[in-house]
Amino acid sequence: MRLDALKLHGAWLGLRLLSVANPTLRRAGASRGVQAVLAWMRSGERGLWPTVESLHLEVELSPPGSITMEARMELSGIRGAAFGLLLNRDLEVEDATDGEGRGLFVLHALGLPGRHHSEARIVLFCMREPPPAGRATVRLRYGGRCACGRKGPGWRGILLVDESQVRMTEQSVFYPPVPQSADGPSLQRTLATLRVRAPPDFEVAAPGRRTEERPRWTFEPERRVQLCLVAGRFVRHEVRREGLALVVLLRSEHAELAPRIAAEVENALDFYRTWLGELGTCPVP
């Protein structure tokens, strides 16, 4: 059987398996047809999404130009034996297991409808049996080169990994989050720890308190966050103010602009704090 036919057959079997594993689909009679499963996936039905209670993410940036990530997630609210997470379209899940080391069935599926999260697709996971009380530990290994159409006219730099830099914003869905709604841009915040192994000449910035650095950086946010990550051969400029670390990473030819950029960002933060209160943190590339 040709490779594309094998993939199609595997996807069909996976959808039928998911229709049996998820109670929402069973009640809808979706096991009678793959189209109903596809409709359930694209609808953002709440039965699809778990709650990510905590995330420990290991990011490997060596050799430069590639990225490999391992995520350990504590999930709750799993209905039946199937659930979905979002992940950037340039990233592929290579391995998925539960807390007992048992493999999960993985299906890289469709994106959500509408214009939100257009850079992501749903990844579906099916466990061997429903976890007790809907809670489970899940371990994922995934990665890719993540060029993200950077040579095309519409490239916005949402996700980039090359030999000199890594840029992954909150929008890029480089870790597996849960959307708050199928019709809006919000992602679920989670308690997280981020560890990054980078080349020795890379600077790295991410939300949270930095507890280790060069070549293995560790960031520990003190509250629920949406993760973002910037790393590369940059000059680092860091300003501390009222317990907040403002980090600006610039190419060496632009290094003299760092103080001015930091001051502009501080002014912007003051303005938005006046209206919105305390703000979250994210690196400024």
Side-chain angles (χ1 to χ4, degrees):
M1 190 180 296
R2 289 173 51 191
L3 180 59
D4 53 354
L6 279 170
K7 287 183 177 178
L8 181 61
H9 183 64
W12 184 86
L13 287 176
L15 291 171
R16 293 301 295 264
L17 178 61
L18 285 162
S19 72
V20 173
N22 187 278
T24 303
L25 294 173
R26 285 203 306 273
R27 287 194 298 272
S31 58
R32 293 193 297 270
V34 171
Q35 290 302 317
V37 187
L38 293 172
W40 166 71
M41 261 186 336
R42 290 185 64 83
S43 71
E45 162 70 43
R46 280 311 309 173
L48 171 64
W49 310 112
T51 296
V52 181
E53 298 290 350
S54 66
L55 166 70
H56 178 81
L57 185 64
E58 300 262 354
V59 180
E60 178 68 54
L61 300 180
S62 298
S66 65
I67 188 167
T68 302
M69 288 175 270
E70 294 189 6
R72 187 183 75 245
M73 312 174 74
E74 300 295 333
L75 305 180
S76 66
I78 300 172
R79 302 182 186 183
F83 61 90
L85 298 167
L86 286 182
L87 196 62
N88 190 281
R89 294 176 182 274
D90 279 350
L91 299 172
E92 295 279 343
V93 176
E94 300 167 1
D95 187 52
T97 60
D98 64 13
E100 305 294 324
R102 297 173 296 186
L104 307 183
F105 177 85
V106 180
L107 176 65
H108 294 86
L110 306 172
L112 288 172
R115 62 189 181 87
H116 299 294
H117 311 301
S118 59
E119 65 284 345
R121 58 182 169 178
I122 302 169
V123 182
L124 295 167
F125 301 88
C126 188
M127 311 179 78
R128 297 190 179 189
E129 57 189 11
R135 305 181 70 92
T137 299
V138 172
R139 292 181 172 84
L140 309 178
R141 187 175 70 248
Y142 62 99
R145 294 195 63 83
C146 313
C148 196
R150 59 193 291 247
K151 295 182 180 179
W155 180 66
R156 295 178 295 162
I158 289 175
L159 178 61
L160 170 65
V161 176
D162 65 20
E163 288 75 13
S164 64
Q165 63 179 315
V166 173
R167 293 192 303 200
M168 296 187 285
T169 71
E170 293 178 354
Q171 288 180 282
S172 67
V173 199
F174 70 97
Y175 67 99
V178 170
Q180 297 280 32
S181 165
D183 301 316
S186 258
L187 295 172
Q188 185 186 98
R189 295 176 181 270
T190 188
L191 296 172
T193 301
L194 175 63
R195 301 190 72 185
V196 182
R197 183 181 291 276
D201 57 345
F202 269 35
E203 290 287 347
V204 179
R209 182 168 54 93
R210 189 174 70 242
T211 57
E212 291 181 89
E213 60 183 72
R214 210 182 307 275
R216 192 176 189 91
W217 305 70
T218 300
F219 300 90
E220 298 178 350
E222 296 177 355
R223 57 185 174 181
R224 292 182 175 271
V225 296
Q226 294 175 9
L227 288 177
C228 46
L229 172 65
V230 177
R233 296 187 177 95
F234 298 120
V235 174
R236 183 186 194 93
H237 179 80
E238 184 169 327
V239 177
R240 292 193 170 271
R241 176 183 167 189
E242 300 175 3
L244 176 69
L246 172 62
V247 178
V248 181
L249 302 180
L250 293 169
R251 295 185 183 279
S252 57
E253 60 268 29
H254 301 141
E256 72 278 2
L257 299 176
R260 192 169 74 189
I261 292 173
E264 291 290 340
V265 174
E266 285 187 273
N267 290 337
L269 287 174
D270 288 339
F271 173 82
Y272 284 111
R273 278 188 181 126
T274 301
W275 292 96
L276 302 176
E278 199 61 33
L279 303 174
T281 58
C282 187
V284 180

